[in-house]
Amino acid sequence: MAEKSFQYVILGGGVAAGYAAREFAKHGVKSGELAIISKEAVAPYERPTLSKGYLFPESPPRLPGFHVCVGSGGERLLPEWYKEKGIELILSTEIVKADLAAKTLISSSGKTFKYQILVIATGSTVVRLTDFRVPGADAKNIFYLREIDDANKLVEVIKSKKNAKVVVVGGGYIGIELSAALRINNFDVSMLVPESWCMFRLFTSDIAGFYESYYEKKGVKIIKGSVAAGFTAGSNGEVKEVKLKDGRVVEADIVVVGVGARPLTGLFKGQVAEEKGGIKTDGFFKTSVPDVYAIGDVATFPLKMYNELRRVEHVDHARKSAEQAVKAIKASEEGKAIEEYDYLPYFYSREFDLSWQFYGDNVGETVLFGDNNPASPNPKFGTYWIKDGKIFGAFLEGGSPEENKAIAKVARVQPSIESRDLLAEEGIAFASKI
Ligand code: FDA
Ligand code: NAD
């Protein structure tokens, strides 16, 4: 049986893997010392592109244009880069068994990979409606989006089904980004939001109200307060209708589902400590097993600012946790110490010509500021979250780079506020003077 041995193995070939490889290279890796094993067929790329420009009708970005690390303004790591650095990219290879005690990984084709240090970067997989046995959820033309193969299937159907009716199931990140991308492709789009408003876990009703009106103006229909309870298909097996739990029926030629993600920890069940659905790590991304690190979506790490363990499913943390873990690996080899991870949560999205950023924690009471009238020529607004008299979180739509930096700083510094009315009046100016 084929067997390969490496000093370092990164398992997974997504965002965190790419940024980890770059960090290893910065510290210097010897040829043949590091391998990335990925079930995807391509080198690590910036996953966020898939739900945005990749689906647009005009000049969509394609690989190799968005390989990491262009998303953070860094050098683009083309497949040749890995070759030059002597980093082995083992692609189209799914690991189906991991034995952490024996430091061994086994692929679906029976290949064995040995490592001294393992970095788990398996990310998340989509939650499927078939997981909940939703009747008819296996009909044709029901799509999910996680990897480039999924995006390519969407691109194909976008090309082949002009003017079709699309139902987007879910009102989270995938819901809002895919509804916009498909509307830009001129489809008749309905977004199914089970809660009272979209992006329910992050947005306030005031924030969501702006985006929902904007979407409706763009022609996206928003159906709230019910879930997809079943699908009917035509005689060709293609989806025809979405049946809602409350009895409503919506016609659909294409369905795109975004009902959440699940971290891929299954390979390590019973071998490593878990917490909050992820692999538990310390502030250096070390797991409970010596020489095993976990980064990106799979890691449940100490969020120092809020003194709690948390898992974060966003790209900024994938990049930064990767860099922190590799720095920690290298420091421990050199007998040095580095600072613990001290992360400020940062989420963002772009839809149509809108763009928002959020920093910090969305806890406590909220103060809305600015102009959130979607009919305004240049709407610009934000929200502060206030707990114990201090700002914990800040959201801004349409901010300039300086203003976005200012809201990041305000969420990090957590200044006390004297009056909510004054804060509402000052708006972004309050953050800008911190
Ligand atoms: P990631 O999912 O990137 O990579 C995991 C890798 O591991 C994949 O290559 C997978 O194939 C591989 N793998 C898993 N199991 C394996 C096995 N057993 N064997 C071999 N390989 C295996 N965030 C944000 O902040 N802003 C944004 O705009 C977006 N946009 C966005 C769009 C879309 C479509 C998605 C799906 C996600 C986003 N995100 C985002 C979230 C962000 O992309 C996500 O948090 C990071 O990609 C996480 O990076 P990881 O490297 O942890 O996982
Ligand atoms: P999500 O958790 O953001 O949203 C899931 C949505 O699906 C919620 O509105 C939820 O209520 C709804 N839902 C749950 N069960 C449902 C059901 N049975 N029927 C209808 N709706 C249901 O997850 P997502 O939007 O699927 O995103 C997947 C992953 O990709 C997440 O990790 C997310 O962070 C990531 N992502 C991030 C971005 C970004 O940061 N800009 C963009 C795209 C994807």
Side-chain angles (χ1 to χ4, degrees), residues 44-334:
Y45 56 89
E46 301 286 358
R47 197 165 305 288
T49 310
L50 299 183
S51 52
K52 305 176 187 69
Y54 200 81
L55 304 175
F56 291 174
E58 304 288 339
S59 337
R62 289 287 178 265
L63 289 179
F66 61 98
H67 279 300
V68 295
C69 298
V70 288
S72 57
E75 184 194 353
R76 191 157 44 121
L77 309 185
L78 299 172
E80 300 84 273
W81 178 88
Y82 297 87
K83 252 192 214 124
E84 275 163 27
K85 300 285 173 200
I87 298 170
E88 206 163 322
L89 264 184
I90 302 168
L91 301 176
S92 305
T93 301
E94 183 175 10
I95 295 301
V96 292
K97 192 167 183 277
D99 183 340
L100 299 183
K103 294 192 162 187
T104 300
L105 305 171
I106 297 172
S107 77
S108 56
S109 63
K111 289 198 182 91
T112 300
F113 301 96
K114 298 264 229 195
Y115 60 82
Q116 291 308 311
I117 293 180
L118 176 67
V119 180
I120 301 171
T122 41
S124 303
T125 186
V126 290
V127 170
R128 288 176 185 273
L129 292 174
T130 42
D131 298 344
F132 312 117
R133 298 182 205 289
V134 173
D138 54 355
K140 283 188 200 147
N141 291 340
I142 298 183
F143 298 93
Y144 295 83
L145 178 59
R146 181 78 209 174
E147 300 188 343
I148 199 158
D149 285 353
D150 305 319
N152 288 337
K153 286 181 195 147
L154 273 171
V155 168
E156 248 171 65
V157 80
I158 285 172
K159 281 189 187 145
S160 66
K161 292 237 174 209
K162 296 272 175 235
N163 307 316
K165 290 191 177 74
V166 181
V167 174
V168 176
V169 178
Y173 285 95
I174 291 285
I176 57 168
E177 293 185 4
L178 268 288
S179 294
L182 292 162
R183 185 66 200 128
I184 290 167
N185 278 286
N186 227 7
F187 287 111
D188 173 351
V189 178
S190 301
M191 174 166 61
L192 185 53
V193 181
E195 295 94 355
S196 316
W197 60 80
C198 68
M199 290 290 295
F200 194 74
R201 278 189 300 162
L202 178 64
F203 287 3
T204 63
S205 61
D206 282 330
I207 297 177
F210 167 82
Y211 292 97
E212 288 173 3
S213 308
Y214 191 96
Y215 272 50
E216 277 161 0
K217 242 179 51 190
K218 288 279 183 190
V220 175
K221 291 165 216 149
I222 302 178
I223 303 167
K224 292 198 266 190
S226 193
V227 295
F231 299 88
T232 49
S235 52
N236 55 4
E238 293 183 0
V239 69
K240 234 174 62 183
E241 285 170 344
V242 183
K243 293 189 275 184
L244 310 194
K245 202 172 175 188
D246 64 10
R248 283 178 282 180
V249 175
V250 190
E251 282 178 39
D253 305 304
I254 300 169
V255 171
V256 182
V257 183
V259 295
R262 194 165 43 77
L264 283 169
T265 58
L267 284 172
F268 314 102
K269 276 266 169 293
Q271 302 186 62
V272 65
E274 291 191 45
E275 186 84 34
K276 297 185 174 172
I279 297 174
K280 188 179 174 187
T281 75
D282 63 11
F284 306 96
F285 295 99
K286 270 188 189 165
T287 69
S288 61
V289 178
D291 299 330
V292 178
Y293 292 72
I295 57 177
D297 278 15
V298 285
T300 302
F301 62 96
L303 195 49
K304 202 173 166 187
M305 286 187 71
Y306 308 129
N307 196 23
E308 66 170 71
L309 288 173
R310 221 182 263 186
R311 214 167 54 70
V312 172
E313 291 177 359
H314 292 275
V315 75
D316 179 60
H317 160 71
R319 295 166 179 159
K320 289 181 174 150
S321 59
E323 289 164 0
Q324 170 74 355
V326 176
K327 283 191 179 104
I329 290 168
K330 285 294 170 182
S332 79
E333 286 172 357
E334 292 158 13

